Amino acid sequence: MTLLLSLVLAANLGDASVPALKLEGTDGHTHDVKADVAAAPFTVFYFFGRKCPCVKAHDAVVNKLQLEFAARGVRFFVVDSEVGAALDADRPEAEKRGYTMPMLIDADGQLSRALGANFASATVVVDRDGRVLFRGGIDSARHEPDANSTPYLRDALTALLDGKQPPVTEPKTLGCYLRRK
């Protein structure tokens, strides 16, 4: 992706960027978020809410996208930024939901605030410099995704990997408000 495209997209999404944080993951590792982001051309953060029906409805879609785009170097993380986020509760939850990517414990909500993610099921795509290039809903489905849903996240990742601007950079997120500290 060209520097110019990256700067244009970042300007449209405000000054949001990945902060210097170390977060525990359900994979048993402490993740240096900036270092993880720098290691991939693009990173997707999928914000989690245990009780949010939109998250539950989109879990399979996100798992499928993670498997599809991993081959092109895109990194995915689930992020629990809600009050009560804890490894002992999130490990079994991640396993139950079949997450194929680590869930990061953002108990203070620092990552969600820095990236401007206010709803569960919000996704944020950043480049290797941590600049936000896409922030919003996974697709246009109000409940279960179907053939008529616009695949916002898929379209954004495809465009970015092709060196183009996503067709939509801030689609509406249909999810529950994150309950943060």
Side-chain angles (χ1 to χ4, degrees):
M1 180 171 74
T2 66
L3 177 61
L4 179 60
L5 175 59
S6 183
L7 293 174
V8 168
L9 290 173
N12 291 339
L13 293 166
D15 294 328
S17 66
V18 172
L21 289 174
K22 291 190 179 183
L23 301 175
E24 294 296 318
T26 56
D27 59 354
H29 300 290
T30 298
H31 291 266
D32 177 330
V33 179
K34 274 192 170 285
D36 284 344
V37 163
F42 302 102
T43 300
V44 176
F45 295 101
Y46 171 48
F47 289 87
F48 175 79
R50 183 172 283 106
K51 296 179 182 179
C52 182
C54 288
V55 169
K56 184 176 181 183
H58 287 89
D59 282 341
V61 173
V62 172
N63 279 332
K64 185 176 177 183
L65 289 172
Q66 188 274 328
L67 292 172
E68 177 183 341
F69 285 98
R72 295 186 69 187
V74 178
R75 187 96 190 252
F76 278 68
F77 291 101
V78 178
V79 182
D80 187 352
S81 294
E82 293 207 296
V83 170
L87 277 176
D88 60 342
D90 285 337
R91 270 195 185 109
E93 191 70 28
E95 187 175 313
K96 178 176 90 175
R97 291 171 183 257
Y99 288 150
T100 54
M101 63 231 111
M103 183 185 296
L104 303 179
I105 311 307
D106 181 33
D108 294 330
Q110 292 179 53
L111 185 58
S112 63
R113 282 188 184 86
L115 298 179
N118 295 311
F119 296 93
S121 84
T123 55
V124 176
V125 179
V126 300
D127 65 11
R128 68 175 68 248
D129 294 321
R131 290 182 297 253
V132 175
L133 305 177
F134 171 92
R135 176 179 47 227
I138 298 160
D139 55 39
S140 61
R142 293 192 77 61
H143 300 289
E144 296 291 329
D146 60 34
N148 296 319
S149 303
T150 303
Y152 300 130
L153 180 59
R154 176 189 302 281
D155 290 351
L157 290 171
T158 299
L160 289 167
L161 287 164
D162 290 342
K164 300 175 184 171
Q165 182 169 349
V168 180
T169 56
E170 289 195 87
K172 183 175 183 174
T173 301
L174 302 169
C176 307
Y177 195 73
L178 289 174
R179 298 171 296 116
R180 298 183 288 220
K181 284 185 181 179

